[in-house]
């Protein structure tokens, strides 16, 4: 449903741009800037789908926004070097086993900044607060504050996440050690 409404907005945007070009009210530089605005919108959508999909266990959504191979850098949290894994391994052997054992999780992204080091590459920085609740009755919760760095690449007219770096800032609480096993095993 989200994607349907976003496509309508992009279509209306493209119609408006076409009319401005036809009326010669827009030059090439303005057109490039507007194109970057559309790219930024699509990048924000990809990072939002990431957060919603992992919290709602919508793994088919997660698959649509990850490149075939993704670099994960959790080094500020687990003191292990970055790894490069196939998306299905990340989703189904790491994130799914970790998150589906929880009662709930909530990943809130905020204040994104997007840069374009290359025409078909982007970096999106965003703060995150991620709440992980194993047992609300027992107060088994882990709240993490961090800064995410998403690396993205445009492939076949679609922005895909090629890297996720978590820059740990703070945390509160914790989960029993066995909950972290799928994450730790992926970095072995």
């Amino acid at each position: 449903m989200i994607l349907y409404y976003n496509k309508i907005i992009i279509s209306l945007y493209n119609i408006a741009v076409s009319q401005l070009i036809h009326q010669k009210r827009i030059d090439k530089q303005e057109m490039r800037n507007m194109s970057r605005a559309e790219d930024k919108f699509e990048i924000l959508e990809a990072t939002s789908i990431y957060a919603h999909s992992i919290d709602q266990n919508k793994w088919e959504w997660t698959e649509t926004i990850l490149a075939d191979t993704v670099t994960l850098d959790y080094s500020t949290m687990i003191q292990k070097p970055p790894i490069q894994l196939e998306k299905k391994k990340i989703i189904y052997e790491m994130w799914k086993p970790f998150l589906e054992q929880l009662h709930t999780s909530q990943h809130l992204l905020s204040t994104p900044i997007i840069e374009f080091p290359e025409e078909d590459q982007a970096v999106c920085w965003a703060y995150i607060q991620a709440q992980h609740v194993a047992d609300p009755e027992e107060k088994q919760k882990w709240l993490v504050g961090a800064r995410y760095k998403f690396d993205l690449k445009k492939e076949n007219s679609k922005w895909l996440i090629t890297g996720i770096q978590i820059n740990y800032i703070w945390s509160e609480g914790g989960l029993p050690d066995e909950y972290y096993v799928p994450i730790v095993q992926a970095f072995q």
Side-chain angles (χ1 to χ4, degrees), residues 1 7 12 24 29 60 66 86 104 113 130 154 165:
M1 189 65 130
K7 287 181 181 180
L12 292 172
K24 296 185 180 176
Q29 183 58 43
E60 67 279 5
L66 294 180
E86 293 177 11
T104 191
I113 296 174
K154 195 167 195 173
Q165 179 183 41

Side-chain angles (χ1 to χ4, degrees), residues 72-82 125 142 144-149 164-171 187:
L72 297 178
D73 184 351
Y74 292 10
S75 59
T76 61
M77 290 183 64
I78 63 171
Q79 288 73 49
K80 298 277 185 185
W125 292 95
W142 180 41
V144 178
R147 188 171 184 217
Y148 269 26
K149 177 186 174 230
I164 300 172
Q165 179 183 41
I166 299 175
N167 297 292
Y168 172 82
I169 300 171
W170 61 271
S171 69
F187 282 86

Side-chain angles (χ1 to χ4, degrees), residues 8 18-19 32-33 42 44 46 55 57 69 85 88 90 92 97 102 107 116 122-123 127 129 134 146 179 186:
I8 290 172
S18 297
Q19 289 176 346
R32 272 193 291 279
N33 291 341
E42 292 172 6
L44 291 174
D55 288 334
N57 301 324
T69 304
L85 295 171
K88 293 211 183 238
I90 293 168
Y92 298 107
L102 300 174
H107 291 73
F116 297 95
V123 175
Y127 286 105
Q129 282 196 14
Y179 279 82

Side-chain angles (χ1 to χ4, degrees), residues 1-2 8 17 21 34 43 53 58 68 71-72 79 90 117-118 121 124-125 142 154 167 169-170 172 184 187:
M1 189 65 130
I2 293 170
I8 290 172
V17 170
I21 291 170
M34 292 175 96
I43 289 165
S53 68
K58 301 274 188 186
D68 290 337
T71 301
L72 297 178
Q79 288 73 49
I90 293 168
E118 301 284 332
Q121 294 178 353
C124 177
W125 292 95
W142 180 41
K154 195 167 195 173
N167 297 292
I169 300 171
W170 61 271
E172 186 178 288
V184 173
F187 282 86

Side-chain angles (χ1 to χ4, degrees), residues 101-164:
Q101 67 186 329
L102 300 174
H103 175 73
T104 191
S105 68
Q106 185 180 48
H107 291 73
L108 302 173
L109 295 170
S110 68
T111 61
I113 296 174
I114 300 170
E115 302 169 339
F116 297 95
E118 301 284 332
E119 185 65 27
D120 65 344
Q121 294 178 353
V123 175
C124 177
W125 292 95
Y127 286 105
I128 186 161
Q129 282 196 14
Q131 178 80 259
H132 308 85
V133 180
D135 186 344
E137 303 285 320
E138 299 292 321
K139 296 189 169 66
Q140 292 178 331
K141 300 176 184 177
W142 180 41
L143 178 62
V144 178
R147 188 171 184 217
Y148 269 26
K149 177 186 174 230
F150 294 99
D151 294 311
L152 299 102
K153 184 172 178 77
K154 195 167 195 173
E155 295 180 7
N156 301 320
S157 301
K158 182 175 173 133
W159 285 99
L160 299 173
I161 297 170
T162 60
I164 300 172

